[in-house]
Amino acid sequence: MEPSFSAKNPQTSKFLEPGYSEASMAEIDAALKAAEESFDILRGLQREERARLLDSMADEVMGLGDGLLERAHLETGLPMGRLTMERGRAVNQCRMFADILRDGSWVDARIDQAQPQREPVPKPDIRKMLRPIGPVVVFGASNFPLAISVFGSDTVSAMGAGCPVVVKAHPAHPGTCELLGEAIRRALEKLGLPGGCFSLIHGTGNTVGKALVEHPATQAVAFTGSLKGGRALMDVASKRQNPIPVYAEMGSSNPVFILPGALKDRYEQIAEGFVQSLTLGVGQFCTNPGLVAGLDNSEFGDFREKVASLAREWSPASMLHSGISQNYSSGLSKIAAVSGVEVLGKSEQAPDPSKTEAICQVFSTTIETFLNEAALSEENFGPSSVLLTGKDAESLEKFAESLEGQLTATIHATDDDLTAHRRLIQILERKVGRLIINGYPTGLEVCSAMHHGGPYPAASHSFFTSVGTDSILRFVRPVSYQGFPQSLLPDELKDENPLSIWRTVDNQLTRDPI
Ligand code: NAP
């Protein structure tokens, strides 16, 4: 096939060799059929074998050495230091899943033993555990080319669960995707596993993505990107004859509340931390703080001034690709056009469009204006934020109440502030996936207590996280086994507990055999 597209270096606006070709419908079909055929083999692996596969994938990615980082740098403009850290995160999260598989308790085994003598009806023996669902289609994110892309949390959690994966490469970093895809293919080959367990598909329009979601073999979809893209894929999935889940993480505005006591104590420190969080990665994080609310007093005025001066000092930097940069610029114009909104501060240095550069820009308005202007609640992906002033505690609560689903909300507060604003916390708890006190929303810890998701439109299913150990739960479903003989039960559910995992037996958590 003739190459039909190439990546573009955002820092030079030059196209990069080689070219890549869009997958044909026959290639999409072949990838998903191969995934379906390899499902039994992948799900049938012993836990140690599947853990070894993940470890081997991590080794192969590390084995790509600096070549991977250099290609990712050329395609995304992200600095080498950031990419080195991101590779560390990706490799560590893969090894974390290998450890979870070795431990084995993640399958949430439950056993309710039979009570044949129970009156008026005997109770049957029922046992339940989580089982993999089948081929998963993954849409990688443009802003995490290593940790939420081909070898990201979606792929490793799905394969860890026992599901074959077909990845739709992000068209902005196809070369990085190819390198990562080869590493995964090598790991499969070394362990003698079928190539159908993992495939990489390229495409630049919506056609390829749509066909992947529509394919009858696809059982679930994982997506990180825009609300428009995520919603379109949810709609495609729900129109299938057998609708399937789309686990979409679609970003949010991540409101920050700065309460009076905290401002009095440390407004400068909060302003510095806030601008660092706002401009980290050129604002291209789904956890970027796009809205800030405080009360109308002199301390919030000082805070706003400090933020404005830091924004003025911030030097423009390259965004990931021209599409994101154009969306960001038009978002800035849209906010500036709202009556009652003023520009509080923006980078004094002009951006260089040939380097796909973005400025930092902060706006100021009242909560009242925000409540009447839908345009202000839309996420503007990049280093920009709107600072909102409210009259009193009630207006902060009204603002919180007006918010759509968010990934995070942050509160800067003293203990007294928290006591005085209990209601605000109660409201925010209904709106977000993660509440942060005296911290910043960017910098996402990969751990078992992390919930990276939230009510729609932050995510498609508020129950599920796309980062952290629980992300594996997106790719499994519970199966109950009633009246099964020991010989037919999975090892996890056998009386003697041969894998020595934690199980809930007759409502007691235990590792003991029965
Ligand atoms: P995107 O436009 O949502 O694209 C993400 C992936 O989904 C790409 O592979 C894209 O491929 C595919 N896709 C998008 N719309 C589709 C559709 N209707 N049907 C089928 N496939 C579709 O995200 P992006 O390119 O990374 O950035 C664009 C905007 O997304 C940003 O400006 C920002 O607002 C937002 N974003 C959010 C996050 C987040 O963390 N939630 C991360 C990055 C970006 P094709 O283009 O080939 O179809």
Side-chain angles (χ1 to χ4, degrees):
M1 265 262 227
E2 280 293 294
S4 57
F5 73 99
S6 306
K8 198 177 183 186
N9 182 336
Q11 291 184 306
T12 60
S13 293
K14 296 219 164 74
F15 285 102
L16 294 160
E17 289 294 329
Y20 297 89
S21 37
E22 304 261 337
S24 63
M25 290 300 136
E27 284 167 326
I28 292 169
D29 186 50
L32 277 154
K33 281 197 174 131
E36 200 171 35
E37 279 158 21
S38 54
F39 180 38
D40 277 348
I41 294 173
L42 193 57
R43 75 181 176 137
L45 292 181
Q46 296 295 317
R47 61 180 175 172
E48 177 55 33
E49 292 170 314
R50 225 183 296 146
R52 226 181 295 140
L53 169 62
L54 293 192
D55 277 341
S56 175
M57 282 161 54
D59 291 344
E60 291 294 335
V61 167
M62 284 312 290
L64 294 169
D66 286 352
L68 171 69
L69 305 180
E70 281 154 13
R71 181 73 196 185
H73 171 65
L74 288 176
E75 290 186 331
T76 63
L78 293 172
M80 292 294 276
R82 143 79 197 267
L83 289 165
T84 307
M85 257 167 38
E86 193 183 322
R87 179 182 59 183
R89 170 177 153 173
V91 165
N92 289 342
Q93 84 190 345
C94 188
R95 295 198 197 285
M96 174 188 82
F97 278 108
D99 289 344
I100 287 166
L101 298 188
R102 282 195 176 94
D103 171 78
S105 304
W106 71 276
V107 298
D108 194 13
R110 297 176 193 208
I111 299 175
D112 282 299
Q113 295 187 83
Q115 294 171 14
Q117 316 304 339
R118 192 181 69 176
E119 295 291 347
V121 275
K123 180 181 175 183
D125 182 283
I126 306 186
R127 304 177 182 218
K128 175 167 95 164
M129 67 176 281
L130 300 173
R131 290 306 225 170
I133 49 171
V136 172
V137 167
V138 169
F139 288 79
S142 58
N143 58 340
F144 278 96
L146 306 178
I148 314 185
S149 184
V150 173
F151 168 71
S153 48
D154 298 329
T155 300
V156 298
S157 58
M159 288 179 78
C163 300
V165 165
V166 176
V167 175
K168 155 76 169 63
H170 197 287
H173 57 259
T176 309
C177 291
E178 272 299 328
L179 287 170
L180 291 166
E182 276 164 28
I184 298 176
R185 283 192 284 263
R186 262 197 305 276
L188 287 166
E189 230 172 81
K190 280 189 178 162
L191 296 176
L193 293 168
C197 293
F198 171 85
S199 298
L200 182 64
I201 292 286
H202 289 284
T204 53
N206 297 163
T207 329
V208 166
K210 186 167 176 273
L212 286 166
V213 177
E214 279 172 342
H215 196 283
T218 305
Q219 296 303 311
V221 177
F223 168 94
T224 305
S226 62
L227 172 58
K228 195 163 155 241
R231 179 62 204 233
L233 296 176
M234 285 166 70
D235 291 344
V236 171
S238 71
K239 284 192 189 117
R240 285 171 46 127
Q241 200 182 349
N242 61 333
I244 52 168
V246 174
Y247 300 107
E249 191 271 86
M250 301 172 286
S252 76
S253 299
N254 305 296
V256 178
F257 294 80
I258 310 190
L259 302 182
L263 275 176
K264 221 173 234 157
D265 284 358
R266 51 191 174 89
Y267 83 87
E268 278 196 75
Q269 200 190 327
I270 300 174
E272 279 159 13
F274 164 70
V275 175
Q276 258 173 35
S277 177
L278 178 70
T279 54
L280 193 72
V282 199
Q284 298 164 114
F285 290 123
C286 43
T287 49
N288 189 53
L291 293 170
V292 183
L295 293 179
D296 189 5
N297 55 36
S298 65
E299 287 88 4
F300 194 52
D302 293 341
F303 168 82
R304 292 172 347 137
E305 272 317 304
K306 181 71 189 172
V307 167
S309 86
L310 292 169
R312 284 192 285 273
E313 286 164 20
W314 195 76
S315 308
S318 296
M319 295 196 95
L320 291 159
H321 61 79
S322 53
I324 282 192
S325 138
Q326 280 153 18
N327 284 348
Y328 177 60
S329 300
S330 59
L332 291 180
S333 311
K334 221 163 146 184
I335 297 169
V338 173
S339 145
V341 170
E342 57 181 88
V343 175
L344 195 61
K346 64 177 182 179
S347 302
E348 276 167 357
Q349 195 182 316
D352 180 344
S354 73
K355 293 184 180 162
T356 326
E357 281 182 347
I359 55 165
C360 174
Q361 185 157 356
V362 282
F363 299 91
S364 163
T365 190
T366 60
I367 286 181
E368 229 173 7
T369 304
F370 176 90
L371 295 177
N372 293 314
E373 268 299 338
L376 296 180
S377 52
E378 280 170 30
E379 177 193 17
N380 190 21
F381 198 70
S384 160
S385 194
V386 184
L387 274 54
L388 306 169
T389 307
K391 288 195 298 281
D392 48 24
E394 206 184 312
S395 66
L396 292 183
E397 288 163 16
K398 262 197 195 149
F399 164 57
E401 197 63 72
S402 75
L403 292 166
E404 293 189 296
Q406 304 283 329
L407 295 171
T408 73
T410 300
I411 302 176
H412 282 273
T414 59
D415 287 349
D416 287 346
D417 285 330
L418 292 175
T419 309
H421 291 268
R422 281 251 163 87
R423 173 95 192 107
L424 178 64
I425 301 173
Q426 283 170 351
I427 297 169
L428 290 174
E429 206 183 32
R430 284 193 284 112
K431 302 281 180 175
V432 310
R434 179 164 57 110
L435 274 168
I436 302 150
I437 291 192
N438 293 331
Y440 296 94
T442 45
L444 196 58
E445 191 63 37
V446 181
C447 62
S448 73
M450 174 52 69
H451 187 81
H452 187 57
Y456 185 87
S460 51
H461 291 263
S462 63
F463 189 83
F464 294 97
T465 179
S466 58
V467 172
T469 54
D470 279 354
S471 59
I472 199 169
L473 300 178
R474 296 171 298 168
F475 309 120
V476 289
R477 63 183 184 84
V479 177
S480 285
Y481 302 84
Q482 184 170 333
F484 261 52
Q486 288 288 312
S487 60
L488 280 185
L489 281 168
D491 282 351
E492 288 86 345
L493 297 177
K494 286 186 170 141
D495 278 357
E496 69 265 33
N497 194 9
L499 304 178
S500 195
I501 60 172
W502 285 101
R503 313 188 293 185
T504 306
V505 178
D506 294 333
N507 298 321
Q508 298 295 321
L509 195 60
T510 173
R511 291 175 78 166
D512 293 341
I514 293 171

